[in-house]
Amino acid sequence: MARAVTTVPQLLTAGLQDPIGSTVGPDGALYVPEGAIGRISRIDPATGARTTFASGLPPKIIPVGGVMDVAFLGGTAYALVTLVGPEFGGSAVDGVYRIDGPSTFTVIADLGTWSRQHPPTTTFFIPTGVQFAMLPYRGAFLVTDGHHNRVLRVTLGGDITQVQTYEDVVPTGMTSRGGQVYLTLAGPVPHLPENGRVVTFGASFTPATDVASGARLAVDVKFGPASTLYVLSQGYFVPGHPEGSPAEPDSGALFRFAAGGSMTSIASGLDRPVSFQIIGRTAYVVTLGGEVWSLRL
């Protein structure tokens, strides 16, 4: 399928099984984990052709979990796995996995055990947390925990430290620019627009400061052409639905950061988007339904 040339989203590929995160690899391709089957797929952004990059990772046990995200550091791929431990009848490790080959991997950090031993100050009911996204940052990884409301730093040697902690704001996606980290906060249930925010912090990990607000159930953030900041909104959350439930179908949007800290929608009607990447002037949006849509910026 050809790359989109208009501002109207175009379907690039479909059939992914429970994707959440995504990244752009060293080769310029999209890499998307599939939580339901423990697989990471490589997607050609120009054609939508899909191949298996890695398989055999722990699949999800409950409606969410398994392989949540993928990132490259030093040319090597790493996967973020969550909600696969004994609390849910599994036997795998919740943590960061180094991808050693098409079907081989090594756990470099046990986030589940660390989280049990270092509970958050906010209210929680899953002792191991719910790790959502990972970001390569200064030779290590930053990992968001949307349930324990914090950001962790994970080294390649397996050391884990807490570098940001919040009240009930649900940290989700991340990006970085010029040493600064930009983080989306979905906000507490029912994820009102004013609680969907972007905050930033630097290498000293001092408390985060606000950048923008107004994206309902914000799940990801990226920089595009001309250093413009874009924010992904999953959409309208029905009050009364259980915590962690997705937004309503076809209510998501992609926002562009505007002067003064507000956001302007540039694409609406997206079906429960979960992450996105920007390559050149095109955004690639991954949806909970297993699709990737391209959107010319």
Side-chain angles (χ1 to χ4, degrees):
M1 183 176 296
R3 181 176 297 190
V5 294
T6 72
T7 57
V8 177
Q10 302 290 317
L11 182 63
L12 180 70
T13 192
L16 298 166
Q17 299 189 49
D18 293 331
I20 297 290
S22 58
T23 196
V24 178
D27 59 351
L30 295 167
Y31 289 79
V32 181
E34 299 180 70
I37 55 176
R39 181 172 70 189
I40 299 171
S41 286
R42 178 191 183 276
I43 301 169
D44 186 321
T47 66
R50 189 168 76 241
T51 56
T52 297
F53 173 71
S55 62
L57 291 155
K60 73 174 188 178
I61 298 171
I62 60 174
V64 67
V67 192
M68 295 286 282
D69 204 4
V70 58
F72 286 84
L73 184 58
T76 299
Y78 296 81
L80 180 65
V81 176
T82 193
L83 301 175
V84 295
E87 289 87 350
F88 304 98
S91 58
V93 172
D94 298 325
V96 177
Y97 289 58
R98 185 183 67 230
I99 307 301
D100 299 323
S103 59
T104 57
F105 43 82
T106 301
V107 176
I108 68 162
D110 186 338
L111 295 173
T113 296
W114 186 93
S115 297
R116 290 189 202 98
Q117 296 172 350
H118 301 83
T121 56
T122 52
T123 302
F124 67 95
F125 56 88
I126 301 175
T128 54
V130 181
Q131 292 79 37
F132 185 83
M134 64 191 304
L135 174 73
Y137 185 71
R138 301 200 169 201
F141 291 105
L142 299 180
V143 175
T144 57
D145 189 324
H147 182 53
H148 286 181
N149 289 288
R150 57 191 178 186
V151 178
L152 307 177
R153 180 179 184 269
V154 181
T155 71
L156 297 183
D159 293 328
I160 304 168
T161 53
Q162 177 177 285
V163 297
Q164 292 282 293
T165 182
Y166 308 100
E167 297 301 321
D168 183 16
V169 294
V170 192
T172 49
M174 294 177 288
T175 193
S176 64
R177 173 65 63 93
Q180 286 291 117
V181 176
Y182 295 80
L183 167 69
T184 44
L185 306 176
V189 171
H191 307 298
L192 299 175
E194 58 266 30
N195 295 326
R197 296 185 287 141
V198 177
V199 299
T200 185
F201 57 87
S204 61
F205 301 120
T206 53
T209 58
D210 285 344
V211 173
S213 63
R216 189 188 292 271
L217 215 170
V219 290
D220 205 1
V221 56
K222 294 291 182 288
F223 281 95
S227 297
T228 302
L229 194 66
Y230 292 85
V231 182
L232 188 64
S233 160
Q234 193 174 98
Y236 176 69
F237 181 93
V238 177
H241 278 192
E243 179 181 336
S245 298
E248 286 292 276
D250 304 318
S251 66
L254 183 64
F255 286 84
R256 181 175 58 235
F257 174 74
S262 63
M263 301 186 209
T264 301
S265 175
I266 62 169
S268 60
L270 302 176
D271 185 16
R272 298 161 298 164
V274 283
S275 68
F276 76 114
Q277 301 297 322
I278 295 178
I279 302 174
R281 300 194 63 85
T282 303
Y284 297 88
V285 179
V286 180
T287 72
L288 198 61
E291 299 172 338
V292 178
W293 292 78
S294 62
L295 172 64
R296 190 71 172 170
L297 299 176

